[in-house]
Amino acid sequence: MENPASTSISSPSTPPWNLERPFLTGRFHQESKTTSRFADLKLDSLSSGWQEKAIGCYDAAIQELIVIDDLLSALLGVEGRYISIKRVHGKEDEVSFQVDASMDLALQELAKRIFPLCESFLFINQFVELRSQFKKGLVNHAFAAALRALLLDYQAMVAQLEHQFRLGRLSIQGLWFYCQPMMGSMQALSAVTWKVSANDIAGSAVLNLLQSQAKAMAGDNAVRSLLEKMTQCASNAYLGILERWIYEGVIDDPYGEFFIAENKSLRKESLNQDYDTKYWRQRYSLKEGIPTFLANIAGMILTTGKYLNVMRECGHNVQLPVSETLKLMSFGSNHQYLESIKAAYDFSSSELLKLVLEKYDLMGKLRSIKHYLLLDQGDFLVHFMDIARDELSKKLDEISVEKLQSLLDVALRTTAAAADPCHEDLTCCVERMSLPKSLRALKDLVDSRTLTDINDQEEPMGITGLEAFSLSYKVRWPLSIVISWKSLSKYQLIFRFLFHCKHVERQLCGAWQVHQGVRSLNIRGTSISRSSLLCRAMLKFINSLLHYLTFEVLEPNWHVMHNRIQTAKSIDEVIQHHDFFLDKCLRECLLLLPQLLKKVEKLKLLCLQYAAAAQWLISSSIDPCKSEEPSDSLIGSKKSKQCYGKTAKGAKLTTSNSAVTESILKFEKEFNSELQSLGPILCKSSQAEPYLTHLAQWILGIEMTNRF
């Protein structure tokens, strides 16, 4: 852009497109003679009487000389003999220029045309002095420095005008002619500085104001170009802050102008304690007042610095090798700065992803969690449930977590889990509430209606360790970014549901073994045969439920997540895929469907009640085998077979025990009723949740499913 203020003065008739820059080159000192009529006037001889006489007392030619001399002073914000500066009443920051009323009207009119330029200079100059203070911020400093450079150019123009005037070659029309090109630019800058001062803004707000003003002046190419140049100069300091953030992950913002805020009170250790993962979401966050030219990529800029900070927290200092082509020197129309930011993001993202996946083995940790919390390898669990049966059967207040932990360690060391290098990170815990009540913490997944349904469920009285037992996992930085406390809580909810289903299955298997012990008896048509059929139906239900949970939900969803993580481009994508996997598993495992969950819990409770009563039901259906020999747990099964064998030979079957028959019929009726009522709910829910069709087919059978 050709600066209007940089117009060199040769003569009033010189075309503006032939004008040179306004610096004093010595060209005018080479003029040895002038023929101007103003050269013969002795200005100094008139100075002695100017203060005593009104300007109207002089001839028009003399008045013109006096006015030009005063206007040259006014252009630099200095009062003249007949041009004064007045403060606007009620507005201390505004001034106005006034002329002597006795001045020639034509001269007054020309002088008043130049006054806006004088006022603009005065206000801009005052703005430069005030905004150069440290407390005003780096953007204001840079803007003030650019304005100061412009004012120096402007002052050089005034000096050249004065030089022409001293040579007698400048008329008031010529002065107006040379001031016009600068008028629009100075007024536009004055308007900007007035808004900055009036609103006391700094940082990105100043850049946004300059940009919006430049767009508003689209019809005036010279003014628009000047404002764009000012915007670029003012943004240099801001781009310096941005460079350190995207290339080093450091916020070097002494005046709080950057659009990214750091909450130093949040520590990475909180990821293992905070369900809402505030550290990852709020340690660095976007503030209001994002520069317009960065608005569309603000999220990318935030993420780039966050990734660099994670690596620095790991002691892995990585800095993008910055070439001259990647430096953020400007944000011109070629959008090169966008390419630089994108390159910085790609670098930091790939480096952090490589660090987490390779050095810290994220997938290995997730596989280990799958083995234990999703029961992928259940041999350790079977052993643990055997040795911890007595402790888990106690009430919550009577359970020793330390004892459970030692039993868990024994189970891990004596099974295939010992080969897992991460098995030492596994710990046990006992929750203080039942599974349905624990779901209340998942407010981010459960809508208000569902949450109400969950809260309406009655809390079981006196729950034991079997309902409250859970496993936990020690996750260290930086893997805690992905496997946060929130994620672990979801894993634990799934584990508790699976663990209790496994417990129900084990109890029913025990009842089935009791029934198998009397198979040699002729029990057709007795209550035992009916009880055996009921036990088989219950086992089919719980086995179908476990098969659905493991092979229809957890395993397929795990493989989908695994494949997605392998192709992820950033750690945020990994977090997204992992969270999606957990949320999908929670829903498909019925944990977010209260109506279905309530029915399943009721059926499991019936199975446990029946399994507990099975021994009594069978022993009451036959004559007990009387033996005076002391029992031995190791040969108990042999004694039972011998006892039942003797009974088969001579014992009398008790087929008319009405109490036993009534109990079995009661269990059967209640179980079938609950199972039948589950059918319509499953089939109705499967219309919105197709995956429930598989569960309905497994539990109810294909024919029954088609009937509903």
Side-chain angles (χ1 to χ4, degrees):
M1 161 190 172
E2 184 179 349
N3 197 330
S6 2
T7 305
S8 179
I9 314 302
S10 59
S11 70
S13 60
T14 304
W17 53 84
N18 291 331
L19 302 179
E20 300 174 357
R21 292 187 59 80
F23 302 107
L24 299 177
T25 60
R27 169 184 173 185
F28 300 112
H29 295 288
Q30 298 174 5
E31 300 288 343
S32 59
K33 183 186 289 187
T34 179
T35 58
S36 173
R37 60 189 178 89
F38 302 111
D40 297 331
L41 296 175
K42 304 296 184 181
L43 296 179
D44 294 338
S45 63
L46 301 174
S47 60
S48 59
W50 280 356
Q51 293 181 350
E52 300 175 0
K53 297 180 181 180
I55 192 171
C57 298
Y58 299 98
D59 294 337
I62 301 300
Q63 288 187 41
E64 183 176 359
L65 292 175
I66 297 172
V67 171
I68 294 173
D69 190 57
D70 278 6
L71 284 173
L72 290 172
S73 298
L75 286 171
L76 298 177
V78 180
E79 287 186 331
R81 293 180 177 84
Y82 298 99
I83 296 179
S84 58
I85 302 175
K86 301 294 182 183
R87 293 284 177 185
V88 177
H89 181 68
K91 298 180 180 179
E92 298 298 327
D93 293 336
E94 295 187 26
V95 297
S96 63
F97 285 79
Q98 297 179 355
V99 296
D100 191 305
S102 64
M103 185 183 299
D104 182 78
L105 293 179
L107 294 175
Q108 285 191 45
E109 182 62 26
L110 286 170
K112 289 178 180 179
R113 293 182 183 179
I114 301 175
F115 284 167
L117 182 58
C118 304
E119 294 169 359
S120 297
F121 169 82
L122 202 60
F123 191 84
I124 294 172
N125 189 61
Q126 182 182 3
F127 175 87
V128 169
E129 296 300 325
L130 293 176
R131 292 284 153 170
S132 296
Q133 300 175 10
F134 287 108
K135 63 181 181 180
K136 298 302 181 181
L138 296 178
V139 173
N140 273 325
H141 297 172
F143 183 34
L147 289 174
R148 180 177 281 119
L150 179 69
L151 292 182
L152 288 175
D153 205 17
Y154 169 87
Q155 290 166 347
M157 180 198 76
V158 175
Q160 290 188 351
L161 288 172
E162 184 176 3
H163 181 70
Q164 289 284 33
F165 174 62
R166 296 303 174 187
L167 294 176
R169 301 176 55 207
L170 184 66
S171 66
I172 193 167
Q173 290 87 355
L175 179 62
W176 166 239
F177 173 80
Y178 291 117
C179 287
Q180 281 186 78
M182 196 65 174
M183 190 77 69
S185 299
M186 291 293 285
Q187 285 184 319
L189 289 174
S190 177
V192 171
T193 54
W194 183 87
K195 290 180 180 179
V196 172
S197 299
N199 299 313
D200 194 24
I201 58 177
S204 57
V206 175
L207 299 179
N208 290 338
L209 176 61
L210 284 167
Q211 275 200 307
S212 62
Q213 290 295 105
K215 291 179 181 178
M217 300 301 296
D220 190 332
N221 187 58
V223 176
R224 179 184 57 79
S225 299
L226 177 62
L227 289 174
E228 288 178 350
K229 180 65 176 177
M230 286 292 167
T231 307
Q232 184 169 328
C233 292
S235 67
N236 286 338
Y238 201 88
L239 292 177
I241 301 174
L242 179 60
E243 269 193 358
R244 290 211 65 187
W245 172 251
I246 65 172
Y247 294 148
E248 303 176 35
V250 176
I251 297 180
D252 185 9
D253 183 22
Y255 303 106
E257 299 171 277
F258 199 41
F259 63 91
I260 295 177
E262 178 182 8
N263 187 350
K264 295 183 178 180
S265 64
L266 295 176
R267 302 290 181 182
K268 62 179 181 293
E269 292 77 14
S270 65
L271 287 171
N272 295 324
Q273 303 169 354
D274 178 24
Y275 180 82
D276 294 325
T277 60
K278 291 181 181 178
Y279 176 85
W280 185 245
R281 295 184 299 105
Q282 299 179 12
R283 175 62 187 268
Y284 297 100
S285 57
L286 296 176
K287 298 191 298 187
E288 294 182 357
I290 301 173
T292 306
F293 65 95
L294 297 175
N296 294 333
I297 54 171
M300 182 184 294
I301 293 171
L302 172 66
T303 304
T304 302
K306 281 174 62 177
Y307 290 170
L308 294 173
N309 271 281
V310 171
M311 288 185 279
R312 190 166 58 247
E313 291 275 3
C314 298
H316 187 73
N317 291 324
V318 175
Q319 185 172 346
L320 176 65
V322 184
S323 63
E324 291 297 324
T325 57
L326 290 178
K327 287 190 175 182
L328 301 176
M329 301 305 295
S330 65
F331 58 94
S333 57
N334 59 358
H335 301 297
Q336 182 181 352
Y337 69 98
L338 296 177
E339 298 176 3
S340 301
I341 294 172
K342 182 65 167 58
Y345 170 78
D346 291 340
F347 175 81
S348 62
S349 178
S350 61
E351 285 293 319
L352 178 59
L353 195 60
K354 185 188 302 182
L355 185 71
V356 170
L357 291 177
E358 297 180 4
K359 181 177 179 180
Y360 291 95
D361 191 20
L362 173 64
M363 292 311 303
K365 187 70 68 172
L366 289 175
R367 275 191 292 270
S368 180
I369 292 176
K370 177 173 178 273
H371 292 336
Y372 303 125
L373 272 73
L374 301 185
L375 304 186
D376 182 25
Q377 292 180 350
D379 58 337
F380 88 95
L381 184 69
V382 173
H383 186 36
F384 173 75
M385 293 180 78
D386 286 336
I387 62 179
R389 177 179 54 193
D390 295 339
E391 194 68 25
L392 290 173
S393 300
K394 297 178 181 179
K395 301 296 183 183
L396 293 184
D397 296 336
E398 302 172 358
I399 295 176
S400 171
V401 179
E402 292 77 11
K403 185 176 181 179
L404 285 177
Q405 182 64 50
S406 64
L407 293 174
L408 178 64
D409 293 339
V410 170
L412 290 173
R413 288 195 298 267
T414 56
T415 59
D420 182 7
C422 300
H423 77 271
E424 294 182 356
D425 294 329
L426 193 66
T427 60
C428 65
C429 58
V430 177
E431 303 294 338
R432 309 309 300 178
M433 60 187 73
S434 65
L435 178 62
K437 191 174 180 180
S438 298
L439 289 169
R440 298 178 188 178
L442 298 179
K443 295 181 180 179
D444 57 320
L445 294 175
V446 185
D447 57 27
S448 58
R449 184 182 61 183
T450 305
L451 188 62
T452 303
D453 293 339
I454 292 175
N455 293 340
D456 289 342
Q457 296 185 27
E458 295 182 0
E459 179 75 359
M461 297 298 294
I463 61 175
T464 65
L466 292 165
E467 290 85 18
F469 176 76
S470 181
L471 294 179
S472 186
Y473 210 89
K474 296 177 183 178
V475 182
R476 298 170 183 84
W477 176 266
L479 297 185
S480 55
I481 296 174
V482 179
I483 314 171
S484 62
W485 180 252
K486 182 177 182 179
S487 299
L488 279 176
S489 299
K490 295 176 181 179
Y491 275 115
Q492 288 176 327
L493 291 170
I494 298 173
F495 170 81
R496 290 178 64 186
F497 188 55
L498 290 172
F499 181 80
H500 194 254
C501 288
K502 286 285 186 181
H503 167 65
V504 174
E505 182 190 36
R506 284 169 58 86
Q507 296 302 105
L508 288 174
C509 286
W512 179 251
Q513 289 176 355
V514 172
H515 285 86
Q516 292 299 99
V518 296
R519 286 186 62 182
S520 58
L521 299 177
N522 186 16
I523 57 175
R524 291 185 179 181
T526 67
S527 57
I528 297 179
S529 62
R530 190 144 198 165
S531 177
S532 178
L533 292 174
L534 176 60
C535 186
R536 185 182 300 175
M538 288 183 172
L539 268 174
K540 178 181 181 297
F541 161 73
I542 197 66
N543 286 332
S544 298
L545 178 61
L546 281 170
H547 184 280
Y548 164 77
L549 295 175
T550 53
F551 294 102
E552 298 288 340
V553 176
L554 298 178
E555 199 65 30
N557 286 330
W558 165 267
H559 286 291
V560 171
M561 179 195 69
H562 180 272
N563 294 334
R564 288 177 175 174
I565 289 179
Q566 297 301 319
T567 58
K569 301 298 182 183
S570 69
I571 195 69
D572 278 307
E573 285 189 30
V574 173
I575 295 172
Q576 181 182 354
H577 296 325
H578 184 238
D579 288 345
F580 181 79
F581 160 73
L582 288 173
D583 296 345
K584 195 168 187 290
C585 288
L586 281 170
R587 181 165 293 278
E588 294 185 3
C589 286
L590 314 181
L591 295 176
L592 301 182
L593 302 173
Q595 192 177 13
L596 281 173
L597 181 61
K598 186 176 181 180
K599 283 291 182 183
V600 171
E601 290 295 315
K602 178 64 175 176
L603 284 165
K604 288 197 299 179
L605 181 61
L606 283 172
C607 292
L608 287 175
Q609 291 173 347
Y610 168 77
Q615 180 71 40
W616 172 81
L617 292 173
I618 293 179
S619 62
S620 299
S621 299
I622 61 177
D623 285 338
C625 178
K626 301 180 189 272
S627 176
E628 296 180 357
E629 297 179 8
S631 61
D632 191 331
S633 58
L634 295 176
I635 60 174
S637 59
K638 295 181 180 180
K639 288 172 62 72
S640 298
K641 291 181 180 179
Q642 292 173 2
C643 177
Y644 289 133
K646 293 177 182 178
T647 304
K649 293 178 181 179
K652 178 182 178 182
L653 293 177
T654 308
T655 59
S656 59
N657 192 329
S658 60
V660 173
T661 304
E662 184 179 349
S663 297
I664 294 176
L665 289 175
K666 183 179 178 181
F667 276 119
E668 183 180 17
K669 180 180 179 181
E670 194 169 355
F671 178 77
N672 289 335
S673 175
E674 291 293 335
L675 197 60
Q676 290 295 324
S677 64
L678 179 64
I681 299 175
L682 271 176
C683 293
K684 181 179 179 182
S685 300
S686 63
Q687 296 176 3
E689 310 288 351
Y691 54 84
L692 294 178
T693 303
H694 291 185
L695 177 61
Q697 291 174 352
W698 277 104
I699 293 179
L700 305 175
I702 297 177
E703 294 181 1
M704 188 69 71
T705 304
N706 294 334
R707 184 185 305 174
F708 290 111

